[in-house]
Short mmCIF file of all heavy atoms in Angstrom, two decimals:
data_model
loop_
_atom_site.label_atom_id
_atom_site.label_comp_id
_atom_site.label_asym_id
_atom_site.label_seq_id
_atom_site.Cartn_x
_atom_site.Cartn_y
_atom_site.Cartn_z
N MET A 1 -46.53 -18.66 28.92
CA MET A 1 -47.41 -18.65 29.99
C MET A 1 -46.67 -18.13 31.24
O MET A 1 -45.55 -18.39 31.52
CB MET A 1 -47.81 -20.12 30.34
CG MET A 1 -48.88 -20.25 31.47
SD MET A 1 -49.21 -21.89 31.99
CE MET A 1 -50.30 -22.37 30.63
N GLY A 2 -47.34 -17.27 32.00
CA GLY A 2 -46.77 -16.73 33.18
C GLY A 2 -46.61 -17.58 34.31
O GLY A 2 -47.22 -18.76 34.27
N LYS A 3 -45.91 -17.17 35.33
CA LYS A 3 -45.67 -18.08 36.41
C LYS A 3 -46.93 -18.30 37.37
O LYS A 3 -46.93 -19.13 38.18
CB LYS A 3 -44.59 -17.45 37.31
CG LYS A 3 -43.20 -17.41 36.69
CD LYS A 3 -42.18 -16.86 37.59
CE LYS A 3 -40.79 -16.84 36.92
NZ LYS A 3 -39.81 -16.21 37.81
N THR A 4 -47.95 -17.47 37.09
CA THR A 4 -49.17 -17.56 37.86
C THR A 4 -49.73 -18.94 37.80
O THR A 4 -50.30 -19.31 38.82
CB THR A 4 -50.21 -16.58 37.21
OG1 THR A 4 -49.62 -15.34 36.99
CG2 THR A 4 -51.38 -16.38 38.17
N HIS A 5 -49.60 -19.59 36.78
CA HIS A 5 -50.23 -20.97 36.55
C HIS A 5 -49.32 -22.10 36.77
O HIS A 5 -49.73 -23.22 36.45
CB HIS A 5 -50.89 -20.99 35.10
CG HIS A 5 -51.79 -19.83 34.86
ND1 HIS A 5 -53.01 -19.78 35.44
CD2 HIS A 5 -51.79 -18.75 34.05
CE1 HIS A 5 -53.62 -18.61 35.05
NE2 HIS A 5 -52.89 -18.08 34.18
N ARG A 6 -48.21 -21.78 37.28
CA ARG A 6 -47.30 -22.92 37.58
C ARG A 6 -47.82 -23.85 38.54
O ARG A 6 -48.32 -23.54 39.62
CB ARG A 6 -45.91 -22.51 38.05
CG ARG A 6 -45.07 -21.89 36.97
CD ARG A 6 -43.65 -21.77 37.53
NE ARG A 6 -42.80 -21.21 36.52
CZ ARG A 6 -41.53 -20.98 36.64
NH1 ARG A 6 -40.93 -21.26 37.81
NH2 ARG A 6 -40.77 -20.56 35.78
N GLY A 7 -47.87 -25.22 38.16
CA GLY A 7 -48.34 -26.22 39.09
C GLY A 7 -49.84 -26.31 39.22
O GLY A 7 -50.34 -27.07 40.01
N LYS A 8 -50.56 -25.57 38.41
CA LYS A 8 -51.98 -25.53 38.51
C LYS A 8 -52.60 -26.95 38.15
O LYS A 8 -53.59 -27.29 38.80
CB LYS A 8 -52.53 -24.56 37.58
CG LYS A 8 -53.94 -24.04 38.13
CD LYS A 8 -54.29 -22.65 37.50
CE LYS A 8 -55.49 -22.07 38.28
NZ LYS A 8 -55.76 -20.72 37.89
N GLY A 9 -52.04 -27.67 37.19
CA GLY A 9 -52.52 -28.92 36.89
C GLY A 9 -52.35 -29.93 38.02
O GLY A 9 -53.14 -30.91 38.12
N LEU A 10 -51.36 -29.68 38.80
CA LEU A 10 -51.16 -30.63 39.96
C LEU A 10 -52.18 -30.42 41.07
O LEU A 10 -52.51 -31.26 41.80
CB LEU A 10 -49.78 -30.40 40.56
CG LEU A 10 -48.62 -30.90 39.64
CD1 LEU A 10 -47.31 -30.47 40.32
CD2 LEU A 10 -48.65 -32.42 39.56
N LYS A 11 -52.72 -29.18 41.15
CA LYS A 11 -53.66 -28.87 42.18
C LYS A 11 -54.98 -29.71 42.07
O LYS A 11 -55.65 -29.95 43.02
CB LYS A 11 -53.98 -27.38 42.15
CG LYS A 11 -52.88 -26.43 42.34
CD LYS A 11 -52.40 -26.46 43.87
CE LYS A 11 -51.33 -25.43 44.01
NZ LYS A 11 -50.49 -25.60 45.19
N ASP A 12 -55.21 -30.08 40.84
CA ASP A 12 -56.42 -30.90 40.57
C ASP A 12 -56.26 -32.34 41.11
O ASP A 12 -57.24 -33.00 41.47
CB ASP A 12 -56.75 -30.95 39.11
CG ASP A 12 -56.92 -29.54 38.50
OD1 ASP A 12 -57.38 -28.73 39.34
OD2 ASP A 12 -56.70 -29.42 37.30
N GLN A 13 -55.04 -32.76 41.21
CA GLN A 13 -54.84 -34.15 41.66
C GLN A 13 -54.91 -34.25 43.14
O GLN A 13 -54.90 -33.25 43.85
CB GLN A 13 -53.43 -34.62 41.11
CG GLN A 13 -53.30 -34.59 39.67
CD GLN A 13 -52.01 -35.22 39.27
OE1 GLN A 13 -51.42 -35.93 39.93
NE2 GLN A 13 -51.53 -34.78 38.09
N ALA A 14 -54.97 -35.53 43.53
CA ALA A 14 -55.11 -35.68 45.07
C ALA A 14 -53.87 -35.26 45.77
O ALA A 14 -52.75 -35.46 45.27
CB ALA A 14 -55.28 -37.28 45.37
N ARG A 15 -54.05 -34.42 46.81
CA ARG A 15 -52.97 -33.82 47.54
C ARG A 15 -51.98 -33.00 46.67
O ARG A 15 -50.86 -32.97 46.99
CB ARG A 15 -52.27 -34.94 48.32
CG ARG A 15 -53.21 -35.63 49.36
CD ARG A 15 -52.50 -36.83 50.05
NE ARG A 15 -51.45 -36.42 50.84
CZ ARG A 15 -50.57 -37.17 51.40
NH1 ARG A 15 -50.57 -38.47 51.22
NH2 ARG A 15 -49.57 -36.76 52.21
N GLY A 16 -52.52 -32.44 45.66
CA GLY A 16 -51.72 -31.56 44.89
C GLY A 16 -50.55 -32.35 44.17
O GLY A 16 -49.53 -31.68 43.86
N GLY A 17 -50.75 -33.63 43.88
CA GLY A 17 -49.78 -34.41 43.19
C GLY A 17 -48.65 -34.87 44.12
O GLY A 17 -47.68 -35.51 43.72
N ARG A 18 -48.79 -34.47 45.39
CA ARG A 18 -47.72 -34.91 46.32
C ARG A 18 -48.17 -36.07 47.17
O ARG A 18 -49.34 -36.23 47.39
CB ARG A 18 -47.32 -33.67 47.26
CG ARG A 18 -46.61 -32.61 46.47
CD ARG A 18 -46.14 -31.47 47.36
NE ARG A 18 -45.58 -30.43 46.57
CZ ARG A 18 -44.27 -30.31 46.39
NH1 ARG A 18 -43.46 -31.16 47.01
NH2 ARG A 18 -43.75 -29.39 45.65
N GLY A 19 -47.15 -36.74 47.66
CA GLY A 19 -47.42 -37.85 48.52
C GLY A 19 -46.14 -38.69 48.79
O GLY A 19 -45.05 -38.17 48.65
N GLU A 20 -46.38 -39.95 49.18
CA GLU A 20 -45.25 -40.85 49.36
C GLU A 20 -44.89 -41.65 48.19
O GLU A 20 -45.79 -42.18 47.52
CB GLU A 20 -45.53 -41.74 50.61
CG GLU A 20 -44.33 -42.65 50.89
CD GLU A 20 -44.67 -43.59 52.08
OE1 GLU A 20 -45.56 -43.24 52.84
OE2 GLU A 20 -43.97 -44.51 52.14
N CYS A 21 -43.63 -41.59 47.69
CA CYS A 21 -43.20 -42.32 46.59
C CYS A 21 -43.18 -43.78 46.95
O CYS A 21 -42.64 -44.14 47.94
CB CYS A 21 -41.83 -41.88 46.11
SG CYS A 21 -41.17 -42.93 44.89
N PRO A 22 -43.85 -44.64 46.08
CA PRO A 22 -43.89 -46.09 46.41
C PRO A 22 -42.53 -46.73 46.26
O PRO A 22 -42.41 -47.89 46.84
CB PRO A 22 -44.87 -46.61 45.40
CG PRO A 22 -44.80 -45.67 44.26
CD PRO A 22 -44.54 -44.31 44.89
N VAL A 23 -41.53 -46.19 45.66
CA VAL A 23 -40.18 -46.74 45.50
C VAL A 23 -39.27 -46.36 46.54
O VAL A 23 -38.68 -47.15 47.19
CB VAL A 23 -39.64 -46.40 44.07
CG1 VAL A 23 -38.37 -47.00 43.88
CG2 VAL A 23 -40.68 -46.83 42.99
N CYS A 24 -39.11 -45.07 46.78
CA CYS A 24 -38.11 -44.65 47.75
C CYS A 24 -38.78 -44.23 49.09
O CYS A 24 -38.11 -43.98 50.07
CB CYS A 24 -37.25 -43.51 47.19
SG CYS A 24 -38.24 -41.94 46.95
N HIS A 25 -40.10 -44.22 49.14
CA HIS A 25 -40.86 -43.97 50.42
C HIS A 25 -40.51 -42.54 50.99
O HIS A 25 -40.60 -42.39 52.19
CB HIS A 25 -40.64 -45.12 51.49
CG HIS A 25 -41.10 -46.32 50.85
ND1 HIS A 25 -42.47 -46.67 50.81
CD2 HIS A 25 -40.42 -47.44 50.38
CE1 HIS A 25 -42.61 -47.92 50.29
NE2 HIS A 25 -41.44 -48.33 50.02
N ARG A 26 -40.08 -41.65 50.13
CA ARG A 26 -39.95 -40.23 50.66
C ARG A 26 -41.36 -39.63 50.60
O ARG A 26 -42.15 -39.94 49.77
CB ARG A 26 -38.98 -39.42 49.84
CG ARG A 26 -37.53 -39.93 49.81
CD ARG A 26 -36.66 -38.87 49.25
NE ARG A 26 -37.11 -38.38 47.99
CZ ARG A 26 -36.83 -37.16 47.45
NH1 ARG A 26 -36.12 -36.38 48.11
NH2 ARG A 26 -37.30 -36.79 46.30
N THR A 27 -41.63 -38.82 51.64
CA THR A 27 -42.89 -38.17 51.71
C THR A 27 -42.80 -36.72 51.19
O THR A 27 -41.76 -36.11 51.18
CB THR A 27 -43.48 -38.25 53.14
OG1 THR A 27 -42.46 -37.64 54.02
CG2 THR A 27 -43.72 -39.70 53.50
N ALA A 28 -43.98 -36.23 50.93
CA ALA A 28 -44.07 -34.68 50.55
C ALA A 28 -43.30 -34.42 49.26
O ALA A 28 -42.77 -33.41 49.09
CB ALA A 28 -43.66 -33.78 51.71
N VAL A 29 -43.10 -35.47 48.39
CA VAL A 29 -42.49 -35.22 47.10
C VAL A 29 -43.57 -35.34 46.04
O VAL A 29 -44.58 -35.99 46.22
CB VAL A 29 -41.37 -36.31 46.84
CG1 VAL A 29 -40.21 -35.94 47.78
CG2 VAL A 29 -41.86 -37.61 46.96
N LYS A 30 -43.37 -34.76 44.90
CA LYS A 30 -44.30 -34.86 43.89
C LYS A 30 -44.16 -36.37 43.24
O LYS A 30 -43.17 -36.74 42.76
CB LYS A 30 -44.02 -33.86 42.66
CG LYS A 30 -44.56 -32.48 43.03
CD LYS A 30 -44.54 -31.58 41.82
CE LYS A 30 -43.12 -31.01 41.57
NZ LYS A 30 -43.07 -30.07 40.46
N VAL A 31 -45.34 -36.96 43.27
CA VAL A 31 -45.37 -38.29 42.80
C VAL A 31 -46.36 -38.35 41.57
O VAL A 31 -47.50 -38.66 41.62
CB VAL A 31 -45.94 -39.26 43.91
CG1 VAL A 31 -45.92 -40.70 43.41
CG2 VAL A 31 -45.16 -39.08 45.19
N VAL A 32 -45.76 -37.79 40.49
CA VAL A 32 -46.56 -37.59 39.23
C VAL A 32 -45.84 -38.21 38.04
O VAL A 32 -46.41 -37.99 36.90
CB VAL A 32 -46.80 -36.11 38.97
CG1 VAL A 32 -47.66 -35.53 40.12
CG2 VAL A 32 -45.54 -35.28 38.88
N TYR A 33 -44.76 -38.85 38.20
CA TYR A 33 -44.05 -39.34 36.98
C TYR A 33 -44.30 -40.82 36.87
O TYR A 33 -44.20 -41.60 37.79
CB TYR A 33 -42.54 -39.16 37.15
CG TYR A 33 -42.22 -37.65 37.52
CD1 TYR A 33 -42.15 -37.17 38.79
CD2 TYR A 33 -42.05 -36.73 36.42
CE1 TYR A 33 -41.87 -35.84 38.97
CE2 TYR A 33 -41.76 -35.38 36.64
CZ TYR A 33 -41.68 -34.99 37.96
OH TYR A 33 -41.47 -33.66 38.16
N GLU A 34 -44.84 -41.20 35.66
CA GLU A 34 -45.24 -42.55 35.44
C GLU A 34 -44.10 -43.42 34.87
O GLU A 34 -43.42 -42.96 33.97
CB GLU A 34 -46.43 -42.54 34.52
CG GLU A 34 -47.60 -41.91 35.09
CD GLU A 34 -48.83 -42.06 34.10
OE1 GLU A 34 -48.68 -42.39 32.91
OE2 GLU A 34 -50.05 -41.93 34.66
N ILE A 35 -43.92 -44.57 35.40
CA ILE A 35 -42.96 -45.46 34.94
C ILE A 35 -43.60 -46.83 34.76
O ILE A 35 -44.61 -47.12 35.46
CB ILE A 35 -41.71 -45.59 35.88
CG1 ILE A 35 -42.12 -46.24 37.21
CG2 ILE A 35 -40.88 -44.31 35.96
CD1 ILE A 35 -40.93 -46.69 38.07
N GLN A 36 -43.00 -47.62 33.84
CA GLN A 36 -43.53 -48.97 33.61
C GLN A 36 -42.79 -49.93 34.53
O GLN A 36 -41.57 -50.09 34.40
CB GLN A 36 -43.38 -49.35 32.16
CG GLN A 36 -44.32 -48.71 31.22
CD GLN A 36 -45.72 -49.23 31.34
OE1 GLN A 36 -46.61 -48.41 31.58
NE2 GLN A 36 -45.89 -50.51 31.35
N VAL A 37 -43.57 -50.63 35.34
CA VAL A 37 -43.04 -51.69 36.15
C VAL A 37 -43.73 -52.93 35.78
O VAL A 37 -44.89 -53.13 36.01
CB VAL A 37 -43.20 -51.51 37.66
CG1 VAL A 37 -42.61 -52.59 38.50
CG2 VAL A 37 -42.47 -50.06 38.06
N LYS A 38 -43.01 -53.87 35.10
CA LYS A 38 -43.63 -55.03 34.50
C LYS A 38 -44.69 -54.69 33.63
O LYS A 38 -44.59 -54.00 32.68
CB LYS A 38 -43.96 -56.06 35.57
CG LYS A 38 -42.73 -56.73 36.14
CD LYS A 38 -43.02 -57.31 37.55
CE LYS A 38 -41.68 -57.70 38.22
NZ LYS A 38 -41.84 -57.95 39.65
N ASP A 39 -46.02 -55.04 34.02
CA ASP A 39 -47.18 -54.69 33.16
C ASP A 39 -47.91 -53.53 33.70
O ASP A 39 -48.86 -53.07 33.06
CB ASP A 39 -48.05 -55.90 33.14
CG ASP A 39 -47.35 -57.17 32.43
OD1 ASP A 39 -46.51 -56.86 31.57
OD2 ASP A 39 -47.66 -58.27 32.75
N ALA A 40 -47.54 -52.98 34.83
CA ALA A 40 -48.29 -51.85 35.42
C ALA A 40 -47.59 -50.57 35.30
O ALA A 40 -46.31 -50.47 35.06
CB ALA A 40 -48.50 -52.17 36.95
N THR A 41 -48.45 -49.46 35.30
CA THR A 41 -47.87 -48.10 35.35
C THR A 41 -47.94 -47.55 36.69
O THR A 41 -49.03 -47.62 37.32
CB THR A 41 -48.62 -47.28 34.37
OG1 THR A 41 -48.65 -47.78 33.11
CG2 THR A 41 -48.02 -45.84 34.27
N VAL A 42 -46.78 -47.21 37.29
CA VAL A 42 -46.69 -46.74 38.63
C VAL A 42 -46.24 -45.29 38.64
O VAL A 42 -45.40 -44.89 37.82
CB VAL A 42 -45.70 -47.59 39.43
CG1 VAL A 42 -45.61 -47.18 40.93
CG2 VAL A 42 -46.03 -49.08 39.39
N LYS A 43 -46.83 -44.47 39.52
CA LYS A 43 -46.48 -43.09 39.65
C LYS A 43 -45.34 -43.05 40.73
O LYS A 43 -45.64 -43.40 41.90
CB LYS A 43 -47.64 -42.20 39.93
CG LYS A 43 -48.53 -41.96 38.81
CD LYS A 43 -49.51 -40.85 39.02
CE LYS A 43 -50.28 -40.57 37.82
NZ LYS A 43 -51.25 -39.40 38.06
N VAL A 44 -44.17 -42.38 40.42
CA VAL A 44 -43.12 -42.30 41.30
C VAL A 44 -42.63 -40.81 41.28
O VAL A 44 -43.15 -40.00 40.46
CB VAL A 44 -42.00 -43.25 40.98
CG1 VAL A 44 -42.48 -44.65 41.07
CG2 VAL A 44 -41.44 -42.89 39.57
N CYS A 45 -41.75 -40.54 42.27
CA CYS A 45 -41.10 -39.20 42.21
C CYS A 45 -40.06 -39.12 41.06
O CYS A 45 -39.77 -40.03 40.42
CB CYS A 45 -40.46 -38.90 43.62
SG CYS A 45 -38.93 -39.88 43.87
N LYS A 46 -39.65 -37.89 40.87
CA LYS A 46 -38.85 -37.62 39.62
C LYS A 46 -37.37 -38.29 39.81
O LYS A 46 -36.77 -38.70 38.81
CB LYS A 46 -38.62 -36.18 39.47
CG LYS A 46 -37.86 -35.42 40.53
CD LYS A 46 -37.74 -33.95 40.02
CE LYS A 46 -37.06 -33.13 41.13
NZ LYS A 46 -36.92 -31.66 40.67
N ILE A 47 -37.03 -38.54 40.99
CA ILE A 47 -35.71 -39.18 41.25
C ILE A 47 -35.83 -40.71 40.81
O ILE A 47 -34.87 -41.17 40.14
CB ILE A 47 -35.26 -39.07 42.72
CG1 ILE A 47 -34.92 -37.63 43.02
CG2 ILE A 47 -34.01 -39.87 42.98
CD1 ILE A 47 -34.87 -37.23 44.44
N CYS A 48 -36.90 -41.32 41.26
CA CYS A 48 -37.02 -42.66 40.93
C CYS A 48 -37.37 -42.82 39.45
O CYS A 48 -37.00 -43.86 38.82
CB CYS A 48 -38.20 -43.32 41.81
SG CYS A 48 -37.75 -43.46 43.50
N LYS A 49 -38.02 -41.83 38.84
CA LYS A 49 -38.22 -41.85 37.40
C LYS A 49 -36.98 -41.79 36.61
O LYS A 49 -36.71 -42.57 35.73
CB LYS A 49 -39.16 -40.71 37.00
CG LYS A 49 -39.55 -40.74 35.58
CD LYS A 49 -39.55 -39.32 34.93
CE LYS A 49 -38.17 -38.68 34.96
NZ LYS A 49 -38.08 -37.43 34.20
N ALA A 50 -36.00 -40.96 37.14
CA ALA A 50 -34.70 -40.87 36.53
C ALA A 50 -33.90 -42.15 36.63
O ALA A 50 -33.27 -42.59 35.75
CB ALA A 50 -33.92 -39.69 37.06
N THR A 51 -34.03 -42.78 37.81
CA THR A 51 -33.29 -44.01 38.14
C THR A 51 -33.91 -45.12 37.19
O THR A 51 -33.10 -45.92 36.67
CB THR A 51 -33.50 -44.42 39.59
OG1 THR A 51 -33.13 -43.36 40.39
CG2 THR A 51 -32.67 -45.63 39.86
N ALA A 52 -35.19 -45.16 37.01
CA ALA A 52 -35.83 -46.14 36.20
C ALA A 52 -35.44 -46.08 34.77
O ALA A 52 -35.15 -47.00 34.04
CB ALA A 52 -37.37 -46.06 36.40
N SER A 53 -35.42 -44.72 34.28
CA SER A 53 -35.06 -44.56 32.84
C SER A 53 -33.65 -44.72 32.62
O SER A 53 -33.24 -45.25 31.60
CB SER A 53 -35.48 -43.08 32.46
OG SER A 53 -34.73 -42.16 33.12
N ARG A 54 -32.83 -44.54 33.53
CA ARG A 54 -31.42 -44.82 33.43
C ARG A 54 -31.04 -46.31 33.40
O ARG A 54 -30.27 -46.74 32.74
CB ARG A 54 -30.63 -44.00 34.56
CG ARG A 54 -29.17 -43.85 34.26
CD ARG A 54 -28.48 -42.91 35.19
NE ARG A 54 -28.56 -43.42 36.60
CZ ARG A 54 -29.08 -42.79 37.53
NH1 ARG A 54 -29.65 -41.57 37.40
NH2 ARG A 54 -29.10 -43.35 38.77
N ALA A 55 -31.83 -46.96 34.26
CA ALA A 55 -31.57 -48.42 34.38
C ALA A 55 -31.96 -49.14 33.06
O ALA A 55 -31.46 -50.19 32.73
CB ALA A 55 -32.42 -49.01 35.50
N LYS A 56 -32.99 -48.47 32.37
CA LYS A 56 -33.38 -49.04 31.11
C LYS A 56 -32.30 -48.97 30.02
O LYS A 56 -32.22 -49.87 29.19
CB LYS A 56 -34.70 -48.39 30.64
CG LYS A 56 -35.71 -49.20 30.02
CD LYS A 56 -36.88 -48.45 29.46
CE LYS A 56 -37.71 -47.74 30.54
NZ LYS A 56 -38.84 -46.93 30.03
N THR A 57 -31.61 -47.79 30.00
CA THR A 57 -30.66 -47.60 28.94
C THR A 57 -29.35 -48.27 29.26
O THR A 57 -28.58 -48.66 28.36
CB THR A 57 -30.41 -46.04 28.78
OG1 THR A 57 -30.14 -45.53 30.02
CG2 THR A 57 -31.71 -45.41 28.19
N GLU A 58 -29.00 -48.43 30.55
CA GLU A 58 -27.70 -49.02 30.95
C GLU A 58 -27.85 -50.53 30.92
O GLU A 58 -28.96 -51.10 30.67
CB GLU A 58 -27.31 -48.46 32.31
CG GLU A 58 -26.72 -47.14 32.19
CD GLU A 58 -26.26 -46.66 33.56
OE1 GLU A 58 -26.38 -47.39 34.52
OE2 GLU A 58 -25.89 -45.47 33.62
N LYS A 59 -26.77 -51.17 31.33
CA LYS A 59 -26.74 -52.65 31.42
C LYS A 59 -27.83 -53.07 32.46
O LYS A 59 -27.90 -52.48 33.58
CB LYS A 59 -25.37 -53.20 31.79
CG LYS A 59 -24.36 -53.03 30.71
CD LYS A 59 -23.03 -53.47 31.19
CE LYS A 59 -22.34 -52.53 32.00
NZ LYS A 59 -21.04 -52.86 32.44
N PRO A 60 -28.65 -54.10 32.18
CA PRO A 60 -29.71 -54.48 33.12
C PRO A 60 -29.13 -54.98 34.44
O PRO A 60 -29.76 -54.88 35.48
CB PRO A 60 -30.40 -55.61 32.35
CG PRO A 60 -29.90 -55.67 31.02
CD PRO A 60 -28.65 -54.86 30.96
N ALA A 61 -27.98 -55.55 34.47
CA ALA A 61 -27.37 -56.13 35.65
C ALA A 61 -26.65 -55.14 36.45
O ALA A 61 -26.03 -55.47 37.53
CB ALA A 61 -26.50 -57.28 35.28
N ALA A 62 -26.64 -53.86 36.04
CA ALA A 62 -25.88 -52.84 36.79
C ALA A 62 -26.46 -52.58 38.15
O ALA A 62 -27.63 -52.22 38.28
CB ALA A 62 -25.81 -51.50 35.96
N GLU A 63 -25.64 -52.81 39.18
CA GLU A 63 -26.07 -52.48 40.55
C GLU A 63 -25.37 -51.27 41.14
O GLU A 63 -24.07 -51.25 41.07
CB GLU A 63 -25.78 -53.72 41.45
CG GLU A 63 -26.85 -54.84 41.37
CD GLU A 63 -28.14 -54.31 42.04
OE1 GLU A 63 -28.01 -53.74 43.19
OE2 GLU A 63 -29.19 -54.55 41.53
N PRO A 64 -26.06 -50.26 41.52
CA PRO A 64 -25.42 -48.98 41.97
C PRO A 64 -24.60 -49.25 43.25
O PRO A 64 -23.65 -48.53 43.47
CB PRO A 64 -26.61 -48.00 42.22
CG PRO A 64 -27.78 -48.87 42.24
CD PRO A 64 -27.47 -50.15 41.46
N ALA A 65 -24.95 -50.22 44.00
CA ALA A 65 -24.30 -50.48 45.32
C ALA A 65 -23.25 -51.54 45.25
O ALA A 65 -22.80 -52.08 46.23
CB ALA A 65 -25.37 -50.79 46.39
N ALA A 66 -22.98 -51.87 44.03
CA ALA A 66 -21.87 -52.94 43.80
C ALA A 66 -20.60 -52.54 44.33
O ALA A 66 -20.13 -51.43 44.19
CB ALA A 66 -21.82 -53.40 42.34
N ALA A 67 -19.96 -53.50 45.01
CA ALA A 67 -18.62 -53.17 45.61
C ALA A 67 -17.56 -53.22 44.55
O ALA A 67 -17.58 -54.06 43.59
CB ALA A 67 -18.28 -54.26 46.66
N PRO A 68 -16.65 -52.28 44.55
CA PRO A 68 -15.57 -52.20 43.59
C PRO A 68 -14.69 -53.46 43.74
O PRO A 68 -14.38 -53.94 44.88
CB PRO A 68 -14.76 -50.95 43.85
CG PRO A 68 -15.19 -50.65 45.28
CD PRO A 68 -16.48 -51.15 45.59
N THR A 69 -14.23 -54.01 42.58
CA THR A 69 -13.37 -55.14 42.63
C THR A 69 -11.94 -54.95 43.13
O THR A 69 -11.34 -55.87 43.63
CB THR A 69 -13.36 -55.86 41.22
OG1 THR A 69 -13.04 -54.86 40.27
CG2 THR A 69 -14.67 -56.51 40.84
N ALA A 70 -11.49 -53.75 42.99
CA ALA A 70 -10.16 -53.40 43.36
C ALA A 70 -10.20 -52.73 44.74
O ALA A 70 -9.96 -53.05 45.72
CB ALA A 70 -9.47 -52.48 42.44
ZN1 ZN B 1 -39.10 -42.10 44.69
#
């Protein structure tokens, strides 16, 4: 498929698939990636999707902002 149709599926969505991410609250980002939060499906930006999928595979108690012990 040529580049002509890139993002065309997003144009059908509200505001072209862009908006404020409910997780990181950045605006004007594509909020089209679905993640499972408890029992609900939430649409987030790709960064939060990556964070969510990474948190699933790693240890559940892993905190990114945890202070180093040494
Ligand atoms: Zn986000």
